[in-house]
């Protein structure tokens, strides 16, 4: 969810939140009320267990989450992959924790901030932290899902050069 994209968030059923992105047509399922991950093959999306949490800054004594709180997900059961195109890998042991927080903005705008922490004892010496920000749009008129495209090769090939 770090690409420039739009999100569409809705409930798939009573215990599963569905997040779709229009860049690459990705779908992420967030499972509530799951005590443990079911046995299933590893995937690039993994398995995400979700819960509602209160976010509180003890140092200032103020709530950081607005409204009913924030949502935290913990994703496991991932296939090996890369955190970035430059080759930072993650292993099957990686655990991805995300905090989804709605934040009010000026003029009635609403923002969704997704803070992500990746922990992987195989490849990372410390947690890998990122965040992404999304502004709520008034309607779905700009929703335009497009499939993933294969990047062109890094070095162009010429048939006349060997």
């Amino acid at each position: 969810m770090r690409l420039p994209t739009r999100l569409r968030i809705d409930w798939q059923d009573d215990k599963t939140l569905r997040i779709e992105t229009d860049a690459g047509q990705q779908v992420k399922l967030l499972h509530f009320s799951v005590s443990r991950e079911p046995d299933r093959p590893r995937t690039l999306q993994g398995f995400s267990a979700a819960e509602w949490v209160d976010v509180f800054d003890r140092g200032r004594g103020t709530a950081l989450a607005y409204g009913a709180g924030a949502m935290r997900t913990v994703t496991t059961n991932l296939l090996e992959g890369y955190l970035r195109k430059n080759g930072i890998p993650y292993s099957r042991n990686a655990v991805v924790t995300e905090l989804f927080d709605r934040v009010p903005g000026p003029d009635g705008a609403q923002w969704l901030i997704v803070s992500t922490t990746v922990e992987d004892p195989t490849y990372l010496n410390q947690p890998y932290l990122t965040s992404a920000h999304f502004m709520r749009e008034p309607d779905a008129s700009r929703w335009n899902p497009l499939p993933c495209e294969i990047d062109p090769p890094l070095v162009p090939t010429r048939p006349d050069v060997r």
Side-chain angles (χ1 to χ4, degrees):
M1 290 194 306
R2 291 183 44 226
L3 294 173
T5 190
R6 288 185 171 75
L7 303 178
R8 183 165 61 185
I9 304 171
D10 60 359
W11 289 97
Q12 178 169 300
D13 57 44
D14 289 346
K15 295 183 181 183
T16 309
L17 193 63
R18 178 183 173 98
I19 300 177
E20 296 176 84
T21 66
D22 66 355
Q25 297 175 318
Q26 301 283 326
V27 176
K28 183 170 186 162
L29 299 176
L30 309 177
H31 305 275
F32 287 83
S33 302
V34 176
S35 59
R36 79 175 205 49
E37 165 186 334
D39 292 331
R40 62 176 67 189
R42 293 179 181 273
T43 66
L44 289 174
Q45 290 289 342
F47 181 85
S48 298
E51 65 179 340
W52 297 109
V53 295
D54 290 325
V55 180
F56 193 78
D57 180 351
R58 289 189 171 92
R60 292 186 289 174
T62 57
L64 296 178
Y66 297 88
M71 180 178 59
R72 178 176 43 220
T73 66
V74 177
T75 303
T76 56
N77 205 38
L78 292 161
L79 283 173
E80 298 87 359
Y82 294 93
L83 294 170
R84 296 178 51 136
K85 283 185 173 186
N86 70 354
I88 300 173
Y90 62 88
S91 73
R92 299 164 62 111
N93 300 320
V95 175
V96 179
T97 303
E98 294 170 296
L99 184 66
F100 294 76
D101 194 10
R102 283 187 355 180
V103 178
D107 299 325
Q110 287 192 14
W111 289 86
L112 177 67
I113 300 174
V114 183
S115 303
T116 304
T117 303
V118 180
E119 295 177 278
D120 182 359
T122 305
Y123 291 116
L124 300 175
N125 291 329
Q126 62 188 24
Y128 180 79
L129 309 172
T130 59
S131 66
H133 306 78
F134 303 93
M135 187 173 77
R136 186 175 190 170
E137 294 183 339
D139 57 41
S141 62
R142 297 174 67 183
W143 177 255
N144 184 26
L146 298 172
C148 289
E149 294 182 12
I150 298 173
D151 290 336
L154 295 176
V155 179
T157 57
R158 290 181 36 196
D160 59 331
V161 176
R162 295 184 190 231

